[in-house]
Amino acid sequence: MTQRAGFVALIGEPNAGKSTLLNRMVGAKVSIVTHKVQTTRARIRGVAIEGEAQIVFVDTPGLFRPRRRLDRAMVAAAWGGAADADIVVLLVEAHRGRTAGVDAIIETLRERVAEGRTVALAINKIDRVKAEALLALSADLNDAYPFARSFMISAERGHGVDDLREWLAETLPEGPWLYPEDQIADLPMRMIAAEMTREKLTLRLHQELPYELTVETEAWEDRKDGSTRIDQIVYVARDGHKGIVLGHKGETIKSVSQAARAEIAEFLGRPVHLFLTVKVRPGWLDEAERYSEMGLDFRDGD
Ligand SMILES: Nc1nc2c(ncn2[C@@H]2O[C@H](COP(=O)(O)OP(=O)(O)OP(=O)(O)O)[C@@H](O)[C@H]2O)c(=O)[nH]1
Ligand SMILES: [Mg+2]
């Protein structure tokens, strides 16, 4: 059999389930997932193998109308991911249907994604609706855009995901594999570890706060005794936020740290000592270095 390989970009509105699908395809949690919108900030690649095909999934930040600098960088990363891919999969939430946001994405797909590029539709979260509604939604969306194929899936429960993966494998171009056989992600471990901590913080905190914080891995030491020491900084934009992140008597940061440590240790397969420091940095949302740590492009004047 001939080898196949290529990039499959997952795009859609915030919260559509792109990261959940990527993790399921890869079989490991390489991209963080929360119930909140705008969880993914950068392009994250995860590798899946199906028969003789190596499918490199590109998770992207959700597409929406950007206003702030970070929003613009995220949306630019998402469209950049789609432009570079061999196949684009648009995820639409079954229970929300054809929203204005979905229409806006379809319009941009027409303008920005080269003619002849394969674009598939995946209606996700089918566990939340009745089957009849799905057929009508699929027909409606196929009227709006000439999708190469339509799938109905539940990324969370796994329905329909095997069909999608098989179709992607046979549709990718022939060519040698792009990554070593045992590699599942191309994000540096220090970034995955920072993302895991950001996920736990996002789950714990409320309202706008998660948006205004970022996590960076400062130091990483694999020790002789088989454990790893990781130091991370949580940057917050305002003085008042520091106290919220720390919590009463440091309880919030302590429980976040425990949850993150357990997950990082499981991923690495070795004991982890995690040290979190919270720093107030009022201007971080306008600092180029913070963006490069996240894998985003920072453009002056944005
Ligand atoms: N019921 C149901 N929920 C799902 C399914 N797939 C994902 N979710 C949930 O939807 C929420 C968002 O999932 P994510 O994977 O973070 O979505 P995303 O598209 O990556 O979101 P952003 O990174 O913010 O753009 C999470 O609470 C998931 O558990 C599904 O098939 N069914
Ligand atoms: Mg995501």
Side-chain angles (χ1 to χ4, degrees):
M1 272 188 30
T2 40
Q3 285 198 333
R4 293 176 181 275
F7 293 96
V8 174
L10 306 174
I11 66 166
E13 287 190 278
N15 229 32
K18 302 174 291 296
S19 301
T20 306
L21 181 61
L22 173 111
N23 292 337
R24 179 166 283 283
M25 290 294 194
V26 173
K29 186 162 150 190
V30 295
S31 191
I32 64 172
V33 170
T34 79
H35 58 288
K36 296 183 183 167
V37 297
Q38 298 181 31
T39 298
T40 306
R41 285 182 176 167
R43 262 181 276 174
I44 295 170
R45 289 177 188 157
V47 187
I49 303 209
E50 171 75 31
E52 290 295 301
Q54 186 177 57
I55 316 172
V56 184
F57 286 95
V58 185
D59 189 12
T60 65
L63 291 163
F64 56 100
R65 195 178 302 169
R67 282 182 292 123
R68 299 168 285 198
R69 187 197 287 267
L70 178 59
D71 294 341
R72 286 194 292 271
M74 285 162 52
V75 169
W79 281 117
D84 296 342
D86 298 287
I87 302 174
V88 176
V89 178
L90 171 63
L91 269 80
V92 172
E93 285 173 282
H95 60 291
R96 293 183 65 228
R98 188 174 162 187
T99 58
V102 168
D103 275 337
I105 294 171
I106 288 176
E107 205 166 296
T108 313
L109 265 179
R110 279 209 201 87
E111 291 162 10
R112 296 192 48 162
V113 174
E115 192 124 357
R117 177 75 47 89
T118 306
V119 184
L121 170 69
I123 299 179
N124 187 31
K125 310 194 184 183
I126 58 167
D127 53 286
R128 298 193 58 166
V129 298
K130 293 216 170 74
E132 304 88 78
L134 286 172
L135 293 174
L137 175 60
S138 177
D140 188 22
L141 289 164
N142 274 280
D143 275 344
Y145 191 87
F147 293 106
R149 278 287 283 268
S150 299
F151 296 86
M152 301 193 186
I153 65 168
S154 170
E156 197 164 72
R157 303 196 182 176
H159 305 303
V161 169
D162 291 343
D163 283 350
L164 172 58
R165 187 172 38 225
E166 281 162 27
W167 177 79
L168 291 169
E170 67 198 30
T171 307
L172 281 176
E174 285 180 14
W177 286 9
L178 301 160
Y179 290 92
E181 203 168 329
D182 56 358
Q183 187 169 342
I184 58 163
D186 84 337
L187 208 61
M189 229 6 266
R190 50 190 291 137
M191 208 189 262
I192 294 181
E195 285 286 277
M196 285 174 171
T197 302
R198 189 164 65 81
E199 178 191 87
K200 304 306 172 211
L201 282 162
T202 304
L203 293 170
R204 265 304 284 252
L205 302 170
H206 300 292
Q207 292 141 8
E208 274 285 274
L209 194 48
Y211 184 87
E212 299 212 350
L213 65 77
T214 190
V215 181
E216 291 180 13
T217 300
E218 268 295 293
W220 184 291
E221 186 200 350
D222 291 326
R223 292 173 163 175
K224 282 203 199 77
D225 65 3
S227 68
T228 299
R229 180 193 165 117
I230 301 169
D231 291 83
Q232 294 179 333
I233 300 180
V234 180
Y235 287 109
V236 294
R238 293 167 214 213
D239 255 338
H241 288 171
K242 184 170 176 175
I244 301 173
V245 170
L246 292 174
H248 181 60
K249 290 187 181 160
E251 273 164 12
T252 304
I253 196 78
K254 196 170 155 205
S255 79
V256 163
S257 177
Q258 279 169 352
R261 178 177 51 75
E263 197 164 290
I264 298 166
E266 200 196 310
F267 194 91
L268 292 177
R270 50 195 284 156
V272 165
H273 311 280
L274 178 64
F275 296 89
L276 301 180
T277 308
V278 185
K279 283 194 184 167
V280 182
R281 197 140 172 148
W284 83 259
L285 278 155
D286 292 307
E287 283 174 28
E289 201 191 331
R290 304 280 82 74
Y291 285 64
S292 61
E293 276 288 328
M294 285 186 269
L296 290 173
D297 287 333
F298 179 91
R299 283 176 312 206
D300 270 339
D302 260 10

